Amino acid sequence: MIGIQFPEHAFKIKDRDNKKYIFDENRKRWVVLTPEEWVRQNFLHYMVSVKQYPASLIAVERAIRLGELTKRFDIVVFKNSKPWMIVECKEMEVPLTEGVIQQILNYNIALQVQYLVVTNGRQTFGVDVKSKPIRWLKSLPPFE
């Protein structure tokens, strides 16, 4: 398991039409503040502010094709113009089960990244799928 402590951040939050919205600094727009979005925004902030991943190389909630299906990934980090890491976010109350792992493995069929990460904000697991044998991560890899 990867130990992550989210840093404090003054997120911009507003109420509109009986819903809460949070400003996504990566996408530069307001999005509905769901429990999963809260985890996603904190994880994005951790990657940029703590791990120093370039915000300009992070894609959030984009569509990908998996055969006949169109799916949406949570976070993909690019390096050298190629997908490098997929992060799948779940809300805090959702356990990180085999189904969550299967979901990110399916995304990797299309993206072929080096690192797969799943998080619910309480627990975070990651693997280097290109190492032989596959290696569990103790922390997010540095972006160098």
Side-chain angles (χ1 to χ4, degrees):
M1 186 164 67
I2 299 172
I4 292 181
Q5 186 164 5
F6 294 135
E8 295 228 3
H9 184 64
F11 290 105
K12 296 177 189 170
I13 297 174
K14 70 178 182 179
D15 290 304
R16 189 176 81 212
D17 302 325
N18 295 323
K19 291 184 183 176
K20 287 200 177 296
Y21 289 80
I22 188 167
F23 188 74
D24 182 323
E25 295 172 7
N26 184 279
R27 292 179 277 181
K28 306 288 189 241
R29 66 183 176 96
W30 292 93
V31 294
V32 176
L33 180 54
T34 63
E36 182 177 317
E37 190 63 45
W38 181 251
V39 172
R40 183 171 26 252
Q41 291 302 314
N42 275 280
F43 204 85
L44 282 165
H45 181 66
Y46 175 83
M47 290 192 319
V48 172
S49 67
V50 175
K51 297 304 289 185
Q52 301 294 302
Y53 289 8
S56 62
L57 298 179
I58 299 173
V60 180
E61 282 205 311
R62 298 249 179 97
I64 57 170
R65 298 279 299 159
L66 298 174
E68 300 282 320
L69 301 174
T70 300
K71 298 289 186 176
R72 294 182 76 77
F73 61 73
D74 282 317
I75 301 169
V76 170
V77 181
F78 289 84
K79 189 173 187 181
N80 301 322
S81 301
K82 294 179 182 171
W84 179 66
M85 175 189 290
I86 304 170
V87 180
E88 178 61 28
C89 300
K90 297 297 181 191
E91 63 183 78
M92 287 185 170
E93 303 309 317
V94 172
L96 300 178
T97 63
E98 186 177 323
V100 175
I101 303 300
Q102 190 60 52
Q103 181 180 3
I104 199 169
L105 288 171
N106 287 339
Y107 294 164
N108 201 39
I109 292 169
L111 296 172
Q112 296 294 301
V113 300
Q114 181 167 358
Y115 299 105
L116 301 176
V117 177
V118 294
T119 186
N120 63 9
R122 293 175 197 237
Q123 295 179 308
T124 301
F125 296 96
V127 293
D128 179 342
V129 292
K130 297 221 172 161
S131 68
K132 303 288 185 228
I134 291 174
R135 180 177 55 87
W136 288 95
L137 302 176
K138 294 182 178 144
S139 64
L140 290 185
F143 191 95
E144 298 169 337

